[in-house]
Amino acid sequence: MFKFLKDKLKSAISKISEGVEKEGKVEEKIVEKPAEEPKEQKGFFAKIKEKIVGKEEKHPEEKEKLIEEKKKDETTETKHIHPEHKKEEKQKESEHTEIKKEEHKIKKPEEKLVHKTEAREIPKVAQREEVKELAKKHEEPEKIAEDKSEKIINEEPTKTAEPGKKGFFATIKEKIITTKINAQQFESLFWELELALMENNVAVEVIEKIKYDLKEQLVEKPIRRTKVEDTIQDTLKSSIESLFESSNFNLTEEIKNKTEKPYVIAFFGINGSGKTTSIAKIANMLKEKNISCVLAAGDTFRAASIEQLQLHADKIGVKLIKHTYGSDPAAVAFDAIKHAKSKDIDAVLIDTAGRMHSNENLLAEMKKIIRVAKPDLKIFVGESITGNDCVEQAKTFNESVGIDGIILAKADIDEKGGAAVSVSYITKKPILYLGVGQEYKDLQKFDSEFIMKNLGLA
């Protein structure tokens, strides 16, 4: 069902999406900054090495001068020292020598550390402990300062973006991953889809409506580059779904709920549209749901029309009210309703002669049937495969008698689907049933999801 239209829509959607991706303009381009090289983090021993070596390299001469000056001071002082203070001086000298020895001891592992770190050797445990103690003395004030700065940084309140406002990079990112097309680009791209719809007998009014919906969603609207085809398909799906008049109509419930029997249904349509077969399918459906009905052979014009309906009535097991050929169809409808009232029958199904929607005399006859029978439901039966012709017929019948619903016969062999997509939107009347085969059971209640699946849009 609807194979041609399904294939054409699929092809058109893919071509439009390709065109949108090619012709879509990007307003801004993001320039990627070269990634900054991470700063080399110095290890614990590297820091100590740097401090020890740095100090030794910076002040070797100053140290020698200080030592020489101290020696001079000591020699001059010893000349004038009082004998009583000699013991104290000796004690100081011994303490001084001990301090020097300690410094010498500490200095040796430092030198070894410098040498060995350059040669990538691991120092001994004892040396490492002494070096750590020395490093602590040098690093303690620095660590305190660093800790304070870290606390200050961590205590700073994090700034949150104002709700509803996008950041600079978020805006640029959105523009990079999305695309836009203008009205002129849309017109050239839509032509592919427009042609596909026209080839499959979709009404011009419907094409214009689909075009308008797509334009609203696509033109100058940011579309994600990876979702172009999905966006077009979703928009097309929602547009086509809106073409169908929503209806919660339930025929069996309507018949049961009518207080004054019978419930009268009149069927209209042109010659060969499947009207008589559709009447037989409805009669079979009602019988299966324990609703009694009678048929009225109102087509007194077409040869063998009465015999055809009689054959269906016999197979289903329902009564047929008929007159001779050339009789007044309104009189046949009147007799059928009278019979139904006398026998307490639930429904009357009136067949009428097929007539072209352009024949004014036959349309006037149809209006007479309506005046006499006063049907509760007027159904237009159209041949789905006729496409735009079916739509025009439904439009004219609706203007003449005011139809209440539509049955699309032969929908199972309709490869194009133009009538199914268009007829409800043009007439503003719901599609009630689809004829999907030759058997009596082949009458399917209309469901828009079923149409969307057959169009490849579900």
Side-chain angles (χ1 to χ4, degrees):
M1 188 186 288
F2 312 147
K3 183 180 180 299
F4 291 159
L5 182 55
K6 179 181 177 180
D7 293 343
K8 288 284 184 181
L9 285 176
K10 189 177 179 181
S11 175
I13 288 168
S14 62
K15 284 182 180 179
I16 291 171
S17 62
E18 284 173 13
V20 171
E21 287 176 0
K22 285 178 184 177
E23 296 189 27
K25 59 184 179 180
V26 180
E27 291 184 354
E28 290 184 33
K29 290 184 179 179
I30 188 163
V31 180
E32 291 185 3
K33 291 182 180 179
E36 290 181 4
E37 293 183 3
K39 291 181 180 179
E40 189 178 345
Q41 292 183 354
K42 294 178 181 178
F44 174 73
F45 291 104
K47 284 181 180 179
I48 295 168
K49 175 190 167 184
E50 186 180 327
K51 285 175 183 177
I52 294 166
V53 173
K55 285 187 178 181
E56 286 183 355
E57 285 177 355
K58 284 179 183 177
H59 309 291
E61 293 176 0
E62 288 179 8
K63 282 184 177 180
E64 287 176 4
K65 285 179 181 179
L66 288 168
I67 291 162
E68 286 175 3
E69 285 175 4
K70 280 182 181 180
K71 284 179 180 178
K72 285 177 183 180
D73 292 337
E74 284 170 7
T75 51
T76 52
E77 282 176 7
T78 50
K79 291 176 182 179
H80 301 287
I81 290 171
H82 197 272
E84 291 178 4
H85 297 289
K86 278 183 180 181
K87 289 180 182 180
E88 291 176 9
E89 193 66 24
K90 283 179 182 180
Q91 286 176 0
K92 284 180 183 180
E93 281 177 7
S94 62
E95 285 174 9
H96 184 68
T97 51
E98 283 175 11
I99 290 162
K100 278 188 176 182
K101 283 177 184 178
E102 284 176 10
E103 283 179 1
H104 184 67
K105 283 179 184 178
I106 294 166
K107 194 174 183 181
K108 279 184 179 179
E110 286 171 16
E111 287 171 358
K112 285 180 183 178
L113 178 63
V114 172
H115 178 71
K116 286 184 178 181
T117 49
E118 286 174 358
R120 297 177 180 273
E121 291 181 10
I122 301 168
K124 291 179 181 179
V125 177
Q127 290 174 353
R128 195 182 298 168
E129 292 297 324
E130 289 174 357
V131 171
K132 281 183 182 179
E133 286 175 10
L134 184 65
K136 280 179 184 178
K137 291 177 183 178
H138 289 288
E139 286 191 348
E140 273 178 2
E142 291 179 16
K143 277 188 177 179
I144 292 161
E146 284 173 8
D147 292 341
K148 283 182 179 179
S149 62
E150 282 176 10
K151 283 179 183 179
I152 292 161
I153 290 161
N154 293 332
E155 285 172 6
E156 280 183 8
T158 52
K159 293 181 181 179
T160 53
E162 290 181 27
K165 286 188 178 182
K166 292 181 181 178
F168 174 72
F169 289 105
T171 307
I172 292 176
K173 182 184 175 186
E174 184 182 289
K175 288 179 179 177
I176 294 304
I177 63 174
T178 59
T179 184
K180 288 183 183 180
I181 57 168
N182 56 36
Q184 189 177 355
Q185 288 169 332
F186 174 79
E187 290 294 334
S188 62
L189 292 170
F190 183 77
W191 171 247
E192 188 71 30
L193 180 60
E194 191 172 0
L195 193 64
L197 295 170
M198 288 172 70
E199 285 175 352
N200 287 278
N201 299 326
V202 177
V204 176
E205 297 94 324
V206 173
I207 294 172
E208 288 299 317
K209 197 242 184 234
I210 293 170
K211 185 177 180 180
Y212 176 80
D213 291 343
L214 282 172
K215 197 171 184 178
E216 283 289 303
Q217 291 298 319
L218 301 179
V219 174
E220 298 298 343
K221 299 285 177 68
I223 308 164
R224 292 184 70 88
R225 288 185 179 277
T226 55
K227 300 285 183 182
V228 172
E229 190 167 337
D230 292 341
T231 304
I232 293 165
Q233 185 163 324
D234 291 343
T235 306
L236 187 62
K237 180 187 174 183
S238 62
S239 180
I240 292 175
E241 279 181 336
S242 67
L243 297 172
F244 305 115
E245 289 293 318
S246 59
S247 174
N248 297 321
F249 183 80
N250 188 318
L251 182 58
T252 56
E253 289 297 320
E254 289 289 323
I255 293 169
K256 287 177 180 178
N257 291 336
K258 188 177 180 182
T259 53
E260 189 178 343
K261 296 180 182 180
Y263 189 90
V264 181
I265 307 170
F267 296 82
F268 305 100
I270 67 164
N271 297 319
S273 64
K275 185 167 69 285
T276 304
T277 307
S278 296
I279 291 169
K281 288 177 179 179
I282 293 287
N284 181 69
M285 182 187 74
L286 295 177
K287 187 183 178 185
E288 286 179 348
K289 294 184 177 180
N290 299 317
I291 296 173
S292 58
C293 67
V294 61
L295 307 184
D299 184 1
T300 59
F301 179 76
R302 181 174 62 87
S305 61
I306 297 173
E307 287 79 4
Q308 184 187 3
L309 193 59
Q310 183 68 66
L311 187 65
H312 287 307
D314 293 341
K315 283 183 178 180
I316 296 164
V318 295
K319 176 76 174 175
L320 173 68
I321 305 298
K322 57 185 178 180
H323 287 188
T324 58
Y325 286 103
S327 301
D328 185 0
V332 179
F334 179 82
D335 287 347
I337 293 166
K338 189 177 180 181
H339 173 78
K341 284 180 178 178
S342 63
K343 300 292 182 179
D344 198 29
I345 294 171
D346 297 319
V348 175
L349 311 182
I350 304 171
D351 187 16
T352 62
R355 61 207 74 213
M356 292 302 292
H357 56 284
S358 55
N359 191 322
E360 291 182 5
N361 292 330
L362 289 175
L363 288 174
E365 186 183 84
M366 186 175 61
K367 288 176 183 178
K368 183 183 177 182
I369 296 169
I370 291 166
R371 285 198 305 272
V372 172
K374 296 176 182 177
D376 299 290
L377 185 66
K378 302 184 285 289
I379 296 177
F380 168 78
V381 180
E383 201 172 11
S384 183
I385 55 175
T386 58
N388 274 323
D389 284 344
C390 176
V391 176
E392 284 300 313
Q393 292 159 17
K395 187 179 177 181
T396 307
F397 274 89
N398 185 47
E399 289 169 354
S400 301
V401 296
I403 62 174
D404 300 309
I406 300 161
I407 293 176
L408 285 179
K410 306 176 186 177
D412 55 315
I413 57 172
D414 183 11
E415 297 289 348
K416 295 187 174 182
V421 171
S422 306
V423 68
S424 185
Y425 179 75
I426 298 299
T427 60
K428 306 300 179 191
K429 304 296 178 182
I431 300 171
L432 302 178
Y433 297 99
L434 295 174
V436 291
Q438 295 299 311
E439 301 293 327
Y440 292 137
K441 62 181 180 180
D442 295 330
L443 186 72
Q444 182 176 317
K445 190 172 181 179
F446 178 80
D447 181 12
S448 61
E449 280 298 316
F450 176 75
I451 300 293
M452 300 312 291
K453 281 179 184 176
N454 280 277
L455 292 174
L457 296 173

